[in-house]
Amino acid sequence: MARVTVKGLWKRYGDTVVLENINLDFADHEFVTIVGASGCGKTTFLRILLGMEQPSKGRLLIDGEPVSPEPGPDRGIVFQRYSLFPHLTVLGNLILGLELRRSRVLGKLFGARRREAIVRAESILEAVGLAGARDRYPAQLSGGMQQRLSIAQSVIGEPRILLLDEPFGALDPGITADMHKLILDLWAANAMTIFMVTHDLKEGFELGTRLLVFDKLRHDPQAPEAYGAKVTYDIPLRRLKNDRERQRLAIVEASGSEPSYAPAG
């Protein structure tokens, strides 16, 4: 399970406030999509979940326990830029994660443990549609195939939480549709909670079971860094309800007012 609780979370860098008094509860196996203007703290929130950043104030708990102050195998992440090792094959990129986790001294598996890792990697490659490319190198893969491999790297360790930071922003629309289906299939098949940052509001409504909007509620022209972003909308979603009017009604229902920007249709 991966129940996440955020209590009075603030994040500041010096005098600049990025996140301001965030309070949220997330149930196990939610798919949370996060949207908002550039620079409003969406990626910072993911980095705190990952353990790469620490809150300036407040607490972030996973199953009632504080998040460890560094990334761990219970949390996987996929960035927009592919994090692949160019000198390793597709299979080698996948196995490396298991080797570093299971053999921390040597970073290498042997015998039955290596055969077990290969079987596990091949099953993931089958799931993401890369079984036929297991012996290729990253430079021999298309952008969509490289992103599939990045996703496979993140899920092979069976994380409880998967963090996605605009993972499909650089892909063509047709490939993006395939990636949407892939990530939903993986989410349904694995017991993990997903947090995904996106600039595409339509994508956020299509994929998520819950949508968060980050925005600054307070602005001071004399001290623009004095106030941080908060969650201005927290909208429960039902799959496939993503046309323009239903998006607008969902925001109105959650907030009691019209959205400040038009949902993508």
Side-chain angles (χ1 to χ4, degrees):
M1 294 180 63
R3 183 179 179 87
V4 178
T5 303
V6 185
K7 296 183 176 181
L9 187 145
W10 292 67
K11 181 63 182 178
R12 64 173 70 228
Y13 298 99
D15 294 330
T16 301
V17 180
V18 179
L19 295 173
E20 179 180 325
N21 196 27
I22 307 294
N23 292 279
L24 295 163
D25 279 295
F26 302 100
D28 181 50
H29 202 55
E30 283 199 77
F31 195 131
V32 182
T33 51
I34 304 171
V35 300
S38 296
C40 68
K42 304 182 301 296
T43 295
T44 299
F45 183 67
L46 283 196
R47 290 170 65 87
I48 293 173
L49 277 169
L50 184 61
M52 293 179 67
E53 300 274 0
Q54 302 306 309
S56 301
K57 186 165 63 173
R59 305 179 73 194
L60 194 151
L61 309 174
I62 299 178
D63 293 335
E65 298 295 328
V67 173
S68 61
E70 60 184 20
D74 60 330
R75 288 153 287 156
I77 189 162
V78 179
F79 297 102
Q80 184 174 346
R81 294 175 64 89
Y82 319 125
S83 53
L84 306 176
F85 295 96
H87 64 290
L88 296 177
T89 65
V90 167
L91 184 64
N93 266 279
L94 274 193
I95 290 176
L96 181 63
L98 295 177
E99 289 183 318
L100 293 176
R101 182 178 177 182
R102 298 177 182 178
S103 179
R104 297 185 178 183
V105 176
L106 297 177
K108 196 78 174 173
L109 295 175
F110 300 95
R113 297 181 71 196
R114 180 170 178 80
R115 290 193 294 272
E116 178 186 335
I118 291 174
V119 170
R120 170 65 178 158
E122 288 177 335
S123 70
I124 294 293
L125 290 177
E126 185 71 35
V128 301
L130 289 178
R134 55 165 280 170
D135 296 320
R136 297 186 195 177
Y137 290 88
Q140 298 172 306
L141 305 177
S142 68
M145 295 172 76
Q146 290 185 45
Q147 192 61 303
R148 286 174 181 267
L149 180 54
S150 293
I151 292 171
Q153 282 181 318
S154 295
V155 301
I156 193 169
E158 300 179 332
R160 293 187 295 160
I161 296 175
L162 181 62
L163 309 172
L164 307 173
D165 192 3
E166 298 188 61
F168 314 127
L171 301 178
D172 294 332
I175 298 174
T176 298
D178 291 339
M179 293 296 102
H180 287 176
K181 182 179 185 305
L182 170 62
I183 205 68
L184 287 173
D185 288 346
L186 290 172
W187 172 66
N190 295 273
M192 60 185 175
T193 301
I194 293 181
F195 293 86
M196 186 181 86
V197 167
T198 176
H199 273 106
D200 187 339
L201 185 60
K202 181 174 183 290
E203 180 177 72
F205 273 91
E206 287 179 341
L207 295 181
T209 60
R210 180 175 175 184
L211 183 136
L212 304 180
V213 180
F214 278 51
D215 200 3
K216 288 188 177 183
L217 291 176
R218 301 187 289 174
H219 299 269
D220 183 346
Q222 304 304 317
E225 72 284 352
Y227 300 111
K230 305 182 80 169
V231 175
T232 55
Y233 298 111
D234 184 349
I235 307 169
L237 303 174
R238 277 197 276 174
R239 187 78 59 213
L240 302 179
K241 283 197 170 184
N242 54 32
D243 61 82
R244 186 183 300 273
E245 181 62 16
R246 283 173 176 167
Q247 290 177 28
R248 186 189 68 81
L249 290 174
I251 292 176
V252 170
E253 181 181 355
S255 65
S257 62
E258 291 286 340
S260 58
Y261 58 96

